[in-house]
Amino acid sequence: MSCHPDRERPLDGDIDPQEMVSSRKNTVFVDGVILNGPTTDARAGEKFVEEACRLIMEEVVLKATDINEKVCEWRPPEQLKQLLDLELRDTGEPHQRLLELCQDVIRYSVKTNHPRFFNQLYAGLDYYSLVARFMTEALNPSVYTYEVSPVFLLVEEAVLKKMIEFIGWKEGDGIFNPGGSVSNMYAMNLARYKYCPDIKEKGLSGLPRLILFTSAECHYSMKKAASFLGIGTENACFVETDGRGKMIPEELERQVWQAKKEGAAPFLVCATSGTTVLGAFDPLDEIADICERHGLWLHVDASWGGSALMSRKHRKLLHGIHRADSVAWNPHKMLMAGIQCCAFLVKDKSDLLKKCYSAKASYLFQQDKFYDVSYDTGDKSIQCSRRPDAFKFWMTWKALGTLGLEEKVNRALALSRYLVEEIKKREGFKLLMEPEYANVCFWYIPPSLREMEEGPEFWAKLHLVEDINCMMPRL
Amino acid sequence: MSCHPDRERPLDGDIDPQEMVSSRKNTVFVDGVILNGPTTDARAGEKFVEEACRLIMEEVVLKATDINEKVCEWRPPEQLKQLLDLELRDTGEPHQRLLELCQDVIRYSVKTNHPRFFNQLYAGLDYYSLVARFMTEALNPSVYTYEVSPVFLLVEEAVLKKMIEFIGWKEGDGIFNPGGSVSNMYAMNLARYKYCPDIKEKGLSGLPRLILFTSAECHYSMKKAASFLGIGTENACFVETDGRGKMIPEELERQVWQAKKEGAAPFLVCATSGTTVLGAFDPLDEIADICERHGLWLHVDASWGGSALMSRKHRKLLHGIHRADSVAWNPHKMLMAGIQCCAFLVKDKSDLLKKCYSAKASYLFQQDKFYDVSYDTGDKSIQCSRRPDAFKFWMTWKALGTLGLEEKVNRALALSRYLVEEIKKREGFKLLMEPEYANVCFWYIPPSLREMEEGPEFWAKLHLVEDINCMMPRL
């Protein structure tokens, strides 16, 4: 990798870098590479972006609301591999071929914005967050220090402040993360740091068995978090739920006592506001009482249910959430901010989040900068480069206002309610239970089973046909 | 939240849902919400997206290559807050106002694609990954199950396969993650699972002190990972480096013996290929020998340096990487795939990754689907919803081919070499050391210090002026 500028510069001896950029007559070779001018044809590149944008606009955005379009051109894996030209070769493809590839990718992808796509967490197309997402892709920022992401750091601060207000805290702290699962991990680690700050340096080895409590209906990320953080899945206690899928507070307290009796160290209760399947809300006030009595951190996984906080009518579902120590809330679900947009919010304002997460990398988080370095929030994160996810929610909030977001939530719940009434009226459909949120769970009973009694045989046969259907409204 | 369809439907009694969608004459009220028709004006929304796209094209994409434009309209935090209208209000803003806001966001943001922006990890604008990113924002997929992300899961498989080939493994496994820091965490957790699979269920409590080794010049995510995973930062041993920032193998082995003598349990060595500041490459072959002797997992953090694998000329920097058990490699840096695009790659093909990470959520990863569920790779991840980051790299690879990517790498290193020669020629610049990769570290010596001898006073004064400058080339 040695440099032989003289030997390898056939036309000129000593070239000024300014000249190197502007002049193409004097070729500069270094290590066998011609350095003059850019290697990319910017005009052709820009034209490609323009053409692709037209395609995206026509094939994805405009068709997103067209009920006559397919949700997906479905193909099984082996067949789809044949249809797509997936292989990566030595030489590149021309723009026209790339545009065809883009068209194929769109054709065979699921249109998650389609009005007839009913699946986990999607609520439809929001034009404002989409624009914000296009902007951030073009700007390609990383939100760690103010000097690199001035606007996006201030936007994140503004959004967090407003979300904290809706939780009902006077003040707080927080950070946006790549997923509610990661937010739940943040909570688990922060609660354990609060319980014993030495763990950051010393680790868990030699400590008593830390134990946490969550409901049997909680999101599966609780298990993943307990395992990832070295706590162990067996030390996540799954508290029994009632018939509606809500944690039973008496069961929680009984298990806390039991754990203490066994010499384990309870440190955290994770309540769920809006469970994944049933959309159940744990009784936060009663759970908060128990946490207070036992000195336990209360985290509320409101990844799905948090959006109800935007509605004056429905926020009572989360009654008591202001008593939580931390909250996970994903505006990318019902509030349509685009995957991912996930806030982890903390009541503490004594810089606990930063103390727990900081590694003080001196090349990035210098303390002698020419601005207030408290805006360099990157050291609160487990990530280094981080996407400006708060911005897409900010844009939607700007566009719709709080009242517009409230209307989305009210509409989602009204649509679910309407679906429930329709299910009740129709032959061959069986509602699992009256929903309290936007999840409507039901069975479709095929004609061959409609006359059968609901015994073990009926259920065995029905399970062969399908799992429970869980439908979420489109907005 | 009760439903009174009869009382609240002023015009009609019983409405068919089909009719509800198509007719606006018959208003359906549920819970005080009018359900007929969409609430969003799709035409206006589409027009807004079109106008914003024009703005993005003009203000970001076209200006990205214009050297006469500013990198950033810099404002300190308090002043920028005054200039931007950050507040989120009850009512929304009209489209014209939103476009002005977009313009402001662009104006005061750092143009990371600008030819004169030299900072961590950025290499310039790549038109192909940008198109891929616009596509995925519009499609808004989540890569957990094949049925929701058929194309993107196959694309991820194809990209991982090719990256594995470039590492030099015959086969392997992997997953894309939100950052190299997270990839390093995956490695640490996987190595520990391999060391003792019981940790997944039992946790670290009561186990001997697990200990890992990495270089003193490693990325700060190693510390974050050790803390987050419950291992403790004190149990991350930072092995001394030589004058070029490379881990000293003899020092590593000495520390492994030392840890064993103290009764700790060594389980992992994290080598770095391309350190953050100096761009140093640890001697992988010698480190691999030590790992084999002691039965330790070898992880290579090639987040930054991995791109050299694309170049036949420079891949020798990572000589021995095929002996690693796992590798972190971020195509979002020198290969310009856009933040984030980070692969965690594993040599094991016995499904270790899945066994370590799976939580088997029954609502998402049903085992009785109508296609090969091995394509449902989401359970290998710590995330639930996950972005299709492999796709943007796939698109660039398709466009440029392996040879085009190789050219980028060769050019980056040649540009660095050219800069080194220029620094040597110019008064007032002092090279820290000959680089072996694309990081060029140097000091700018202000005129007032140029005559001073390089004693303690000189360095104290220089440090007051600046930190080391570390520059990365633009492609």
Side-chain angles (χ1 to χ4, degrees):
Chain A
M1 215 183 66
S2 70
C3 173
H4 310 285
D6 290 332
R7 188 166 57 79
E8 290 179 306
R9 275 187 202 158
L11 295 173
D12 191 28
D14 202 314
I15 291 168
D16 177 84
Q18 196 56 44
E19 197 188 338
M20 193 183 106
V21 169
S22 59
S23 150
R24 287 181 183 237
K25 276 185 297 182
N26 304 314
T27 309
V28 182
F29 276 107
V30 175
D31 257 1
V33 179
I34 303 173
L35 291 189
N36 310 57
T39 50
T40 313
D41 179 347
R43 286 293 149 266
E46 288 156 10
K47 189 162 166 273
F48 176 66
V49 176
E50 268 169 9
E51 283 174 19
C53 280
R54 254 200 304 280
L55 183 75
I56 294 167
M57 200 67 205
E58 278 163 26
E59 295 298 317
V60 190
V61 180
L62 298 184
K63 287 186 179 171
T65 50
D66 188 347
I67 212 146
N68 299 311
E69 292 292 327
K70 281 188 178 178
V71 172
C72 176
E73 191 87 47
W74 169 265
R75 294 287 184 281
E78 292 310 322
Q79 200 181 328
L80 187 53
K81 276 188 197 173
Q82 299 294 321
L83 288 167
L84 293 170
D85 173 24
L86 291 167
E87 210 190 317
L88 299 165
R89 303 191 184 82
D90 283 351
T91 51
E93 309 273 358
H95 284 181
Q96 195 45 46
R97 175 73 192 117
L98 293 174
L99 287 172
E100 286 163 22
L101 280 174
C102 289
Q103 203 140 22
D104 280 346
V105 167
I106 294 169
R107 177 175 306 130
Y108 298 113
S109 284
V110 173
K111 273 55 137 199
T112 63
N113 296 318
H114 193 285
R116 295 228 166 123
F117 176 69
F118 300 94
N119 205 313
Q120 305 97 356
L121 67 85
Y122 288 99
L125 176 61
D126 172 66
Y127 298 99
Y128 310 105
S129 75
L130 183 61
V131 161
R133 284 137 69 194
F134 285 162
M135 282 175 70
T136 51
E137 291 303 337
L139 288 165
N140 200 28
S142 180
V143 188
Y144 31 54
T145 63
Y146 182 82
E147 62 202 332
V148 180
S149 275
V151 176
F152 298 117
L153 273 166
L154 295 186
V155 163
E156 182 166 10
E157 183 189 58
V159 174
L160 287 171
K161 192 168 160 246
K162 202 74 184 174
M163 291 176 88
I164 283 165
E165 189 186 311
F166 273 79
I167 289 172
W169 294 336
K170 282 203 186 68
E171 49 179 12
D173 198 355
I175 195 148
F176 274 80
N177 301 309
S181 298
V182 176
S183 292
N184 288 336
M185 288 184 176
Y186 269 81
M188 215 174 270
N189 186 43
L190 192 62
R192 145 175 111 175
Y193 178 76
K194 173 82 178 178
Y195 175 81
C196 172
D198 276 357
I199 290 175
K200 184 173 177 179
E201 283 88 31
K202 306 278 180 198
L204 295 169
S205 158
L207 279 184
R209 190 162 59 89
L210 291 184
I211 197 158
L212 66 102
F213 305 85
T214 183
S215 95
E217 291 284 325
C218 75
H219 188 254
Y220 71 96
S221 57
M222 290 299 166
K223 249 190 185 170
K224 294 216 174 198
S227 149
F228 199 59
L229 270 63
I231 290 168
T233 51
E234 284 180 6
N235 298 316
C237 264
F238 297 98
V239 179
E240 205 184 313
T241 56
D242 65 16
R244 298 198 54 83
K246 294 163 178 285
M247 191 193 281
I248 302 171
E250 296 73 24
E251 270 304 304
L252 168 65
E253 191 151 30
R254 195 185 61 73
Q255 291 215 25
V256 172
W257 281 120
Q258 179 69 26
K260 285 182 173 176
K261 220 170 72 182
E262 288 168 6
F267 73 108
L268 167 68
V269 175
C270 295
T272 313
S273 290
T275 60
T276 317
V277 178
L278 299 174
F281 287 74
D282 287 343
L284 300 182
D285 244 333
E286 290 162 83
I287 293 172
D289 288 342
I290 296 168
C291 289
E292 272 176 22
R293 273 201 291 279
H294 295 269
L296 303 175
W297 183 282
L298 174 56
H299 171 64
V300 178
D301 178 4
S303 294
W304 169 226
S307 301
L309 291 170
M310 304 302 297
S311 159
R312 282 162 291 183
K313 191 182 211 161
H314 298 298
R315 62 171 289 132
K316 61 179 181 289
L317 287 166
L318 298 103
H319 185 74
I321 194 164
H322 64 284
R323 297 175 67 188
D325 295 293
S326 61
V327 171
W329 174 4
N330 298 0
H332 76 204
K333 299 179 196 264
M334 197 182 283
L335 299 176
M336 304 162 82
I339 288 174
Q340 287 146 329
C341 186
C342 308
F344 172 61
L345 303 140
V346 189
K347 194 197 271 167
D348 171 274
K349 268 297 280 184
S350 74
D351 247 358
L352 192 71
L353 190 59
K354 192 160 183 184
K355 284 178 203 152
C356 175
Y357 284 96
S358 68
K360 297 180 182 148
S362 59
Y363 79 96
L364 198 56
F365 303 111
Q366 299 94 339
Q367 295 303 299
D368 58 351
K369 290 180 183 172
F370 52 95
Y371 59 83
D372 176 0
V373 293
S374 74
Y375 286 99
D376 291 357
T377 58
D379 214 17
K380 290 181 191 175
S381 168
I382 57 165
Q383 300 179 275
C384 179
S385 62
R386 191 166 64 93
R387 295 172 55 87
D389 292 330
F391 178 58
K392 42 195 170 183
F393 186 36
W394 180 81
M395 186 67 94
T396 301
W397 204 325
K398 272 285 184 197
L400 304 179
T402 308
L403 295 172
L405 292 174
E406 177 179 44
E407 198 190 316
K408 294 265 181 215
V409 175
N410 289 347
R411 187 174 160 82
L413 269 72
L415 282 166
S416 305
R417 176 49 50 190
Y418 180 81
L419 177 63
V420 165
E421 299 307 318
E422 289 299 315
I423 285 171
K424 286 181 185 168
K425 277 187 232 162
R426 297 208 179 188
E427 204 196 358
F429 288 90
K430 189 179 160 60
L431 192 70
L432 194 77
M433 63 173 67
E434 290 287 334
E436 59 176 335
Y437 196 45
N439 313 41
V440 179
C441 297
F442 64 91
W443 299 94
Y444 167 70
I445 319 287
S448 64
L449 294 179
R450 285 184 198 165
E451 304 302 316
M452 196 182 281
E453 221 175 305
E454 279 184 30
E457 196 196 334
F458 169 87
W459 287 110
K461 286 196 165 161
L462 190 60
H463 273 292
L464 281 179
V465 183
E466 55 168 2
D467 290 310
I468 300 173
N469 300 287
C470 180
M471 218 153 170
M472 319 244 173
R474 307 297 296 186
L475 294 171
Chain B
M1 213 184 65
S2 69
C3 173
H4 310 285
D6 290 333
R7 189 167 56 78
E8 289 178 308
R9 276 185 203 159
L11 295 174
D12 191 27
D14 200 313
I15 291 167
D16 177 83
Q18 197 55 43
E19 196 187 341
M20 193 181 103
V21 170
S22 59
S23 150
R24 287 181 183 238
K25 276 187 299 183
N26 304 313
T27 309
V28 183
F29 276 108
V30 174
D31 256 358
V33 179
I34 302 172
L35 291 189
N36 311 55
T39 48
T40 313
D41 180 347
R43 287 292 148 265
E46 288 156 11
K47 189 162 167 274
F48 175 66
V49 176
E50 269 168 8
E51 283 175 17
C53 281
R54 255 199 303 280
L55 182 74
I56 294 167
M57 200 68 204
E58 279 162 27
E59 296 297 318
V60 190
V61 180
L62 298 183
K63 288 188 179 170
T65 50
D66 188 348
I67 213 147
N68 299 310
E69 292 292 328
K70 282 190 178 176
V71 172
C72 176
E73 190 88 48
W74 169 264
R75 294 288 184 282
E78 291 310 323
Q79 199 181 329
L80 187 52
K81 277 188 197 173
Q82 299 293 321
L83 288 166
L84 294 169
D85 173 24
L86 291 166
E87 208 190 318
L88 299 164
R89 304 191 183 83
D90 283 351
T91 51
E93 309 274 358
H95 285 182
Q96 195 45 47
R97 176 73 193 117
L98 293 174
L99 286 172
E100 287 163 22
L101 280 175
C102 290
Q103 204 139 22
D104 281 346
V105 167
I106 295 169
R107 176 174 307 131
Y108 298 113
S109 284
V110 173
K111 273 56 135 198
T112 63
N113 296 318
H114 193 284
R116 296 229 166 123
F117 175 68
F118 300 94
N119 205 313
Q120 305 97 358
L121 68 85
Y122 287 98
L125 176 60
D126 172 67
Y127 298 100
Y128 310 105
S129 74
L130 183 61
V131 161
R133 285 137 68 196
F134 285 163
M135 280 174 72
T136 51
E137 290 305 335
L139 287 164
N140 199 28
S142 179
V143 188
Y144 30 55
T145 63
Y146 182 83
E147 62 202 330
V148 180
S149 276
V151 176
F152 299 117
L153 273 165
L154 295 186
V155 163
E156 182 166 11
E157 185 189 56
V159 175
L160 288 171
K161 192 167 160 249
K162 202 76 183 170
M163 293 177 87
I164 283 165
E165 191 185 310
F166 274 78
I167 288 173
W169 294 334
K170 284 203 185 68
E171 48 177 15
D173 198 358
I175 194 148
F176 274 80
N177 301 310
S181 298
V182 176
S183 292
N184 288 337
M185 288 184 176
Y186 269 82
M188 214 174 270
N189 186 43
L190 192 61
R192 146 175 109 174
Y193 177 75
K194 172 82 177 178
Y195 176 80
C196 173
D198 276 358
I199 290 174
K200 184 173 176 179
E201 283 88 32
K202 306 278 181 200
L204 295 169
S205 158
L207 280 184
R209 192 162 58 88
L210 291 184
I211 198 157
L212 66 102
F213 306 86
T214 183
S215 97
E217 290 285 326
C218 75
H219 188 252
Y220 72 96
S221 56
M222 291 299 167
K223 248 190 187 171
K224 293 216 174 198
S227 148
F228 199 59
L229 270 62
I231 290 167
T233 52
E234 285 180 7
N235 298 315
C237 264
F238 296 98
V239 179
E240 206 184 311
T241 56
D242 64 16
R244 300 197 54 82
K246 294 164 177 284
M247 190 193 282
I248 302 171
E250 296 73 25
E251 270 304 304
L252 168 64
E253 192 152 30
R254 196 186 60 74
Q255 291 215 25
V256 171
W257 282 120
Q258 179 68 25
K260 283 182 173 175
K261 220 171 73 184
E262 287 169 6
F267 73 108
L268 166 69
V269 175
C270 295
T272 313
S273 290
T275 59
T276 318
V277 177
L278 298 174
F281 287 74
D282 288 342
L284 299 183
D285 245 333
E286 290 162 82
I287 293 172
D289 288 342
I290 296 168
C291 289
E292 271 175 21
R293 274 202 290 280
H294 295 269
L296 303 176
W297 183 282
L298 174 56
H299 170 66
V300 178
D301 179 4
S303 294
W304 169 227
S307 301
L309 291 170
M310 303 304 297
S311 159
R312 282 162 293 181
K313 190 181 212 160
H314 299 298
R315 60 170 291 131
K316 61 178 181 287
L317 287 166
L318 298 104
H319 185 74
I321 194 166
H322 64 284
R323 298 175 66 188
D325 295 293
S326 61
V327 172
W329 175 5
N330 297 0
H332 76 205
K333 299 181 197 263
M334 198 181 283
L335 300 174
M336 305 161 81
I339 289 175
Q340 282 143 337
C341 185
C342 308
F344 172 61
L345 302 140
V346 189
K347 194 198 269 165
D348 171 275
K349 268 297 282 184
S350 74
D351 247 359
L352 191 71
L353 191 59
K354 191 160 182 183
K355 283 178 204 151
C356 175
Y357 284 95
S358 67
K360 297 180 182 148
S362 60
Y363 79 96
L364 198 55
F365 303 111
Q366 299 94 340
Q367 295 302 302
D368 58 351
K369 290 181 184 172
F370 51 95
Y371 59 84
D372 176 359
V373 293
S374 74
Y375 286 98
D376 291 357
T377 58
D379 212 15
K380 290 181 192 174
S381 169
I382 58 166
Q383 300 180 275
C384 179
S385 62
R386 191 166 64 92
R387 295 172 55 87
D389 291 330
F391 178 59
K392 43 195 171 185
F393 186 37
W394 180 82
M395 186 67 95
T396 300
W397 204 326
K398 272 285 183 197
L400 304 179
T402 306
L403 295 171
L405 292 174
E406 178 179 43
E407 198 190 317
K408 295 264 178 214
V409 175
N410 289 347
R411 187 174 162 81
L413 269 72
L415 282 166
S416 304
R417 178 47 52 189
Y418 180 81
L419 177 63
V420 165
E421 299 307 318
E422 289 298 318
I423 285 173
K424 286 180 185 170
K425 278 187 235 163
R426 298 207 176 189
E427 203 197 359
F429 288 91
K430 188 180 161 58
L431 193 68
L432 194 77
M433 63 173 69
E434 291 287 335
E436 60 176 336
Y437 196 46
N439 313 42
V440 180
C441 296
F442 63 92
W443 298 95
Y444 168 69
I445 319 284
S448 64
L449 294 178
R450 286 185 198 164
E451 304 303 317
M452 195 181 283
E453 220 176 306
E454 279 186 30
E457 196 196 336
F458 170 87
W459 288 110
K461 284 198 167 159
L462 190 60
H463 273 293
L464 279 180
V465 182
E466 54 170 0
D467 289 310
I468 300 172
N469 300 286
C470 180
M471 217 153 169
M472 319 242 172
R474 307 297 298 185
L475 297 171

